């Protein structure tokens, strides 16, 4: 709340409980307005990914502790991708337990060696 007020992006409309009113139109309103119905449905499913509750567990074996973030596309190769794919997308980052992370790293190194040959 303080951030919005300090940036003059909102005005306070109530003290207790504190409430604010945004002074701008959210981006999604114009984004959706210019789409076809099919594009809107696709975008809604993409947007839903970002607001869903995500479980902190390994995506391979389901382990619930001792996990690490793993980048599907190695950072080394990300710079070679077209600009549209370089965005910092959470689709590229998954949680893996230590054992699965080690297996994935080993597989990445093997692929890097193949590319280098």
């Amino acid at each position: 709340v303080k951030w919005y007020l300090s940036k003059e992006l909102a005005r306070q409309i109530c003290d207790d409980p504190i409430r604010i009113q945004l002074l701008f139109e959210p981006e999604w309103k114009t984004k959706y307005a210019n789409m076809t119905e099919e594009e809107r449905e696709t975008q809604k499913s993409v947007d839903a990914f970002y607001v869903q509750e995500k479980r902190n567990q390994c995506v391979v074996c389901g382990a619930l502790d001792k996990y690490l973030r793993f980048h599907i596309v190695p950072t080394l190769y990300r710079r070679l991708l077209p600009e549209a794919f370089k965005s910092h997308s959470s689709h590229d980052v998954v949680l893996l337990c230590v054992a699965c992370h080690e297996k994935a790293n080993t597989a990445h190194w093997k692929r890097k060696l193949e590319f280098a040959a």
Side-chain angles (χ1 to χ4, degrees), residues 11-76:
R11 67 182 178 91
Q12 189 170 337
I13 58 174
C14 185
D15 290 330
D16 189 24
I18 191 165
R19 290 189 306 172
I20 61 172
Q21 178 180 15
L22 299 178
L23 299 175
F24 62 91
E25 285 294 321
E27 181 183 304
W28 64 268
K29 280 191 175 183
T30 54
K31 180 172 69 172
Y32 284 136
N34 298 324
M35 292 181 178
T36 66
E37 184 62 33
E38 184 178 337
E39 291 170 328
R40 241 188 323 274
E41 290 306 310
T42 300
Q43 187 62 48
K44 284 179 183 178
S45 67
V46 169
D47 292 346
F49 171 83
Y50 291 104
V51 297
Q52 75 180 344
E53 184 176 336
K54 295 171 188 67
R55 296 192 57 164
N56 288 327
Q57 69 182 56
C58 177
V59 298
V60 176
C61 71
L64 296 172
D65 61 347
K66 299 179 184 169
Y67 39 77
L68 304 163
R69 286 182 294 184
F70 184 80
H71 292 265
I72 303 297
V73 178
T75 307
L76 173 70

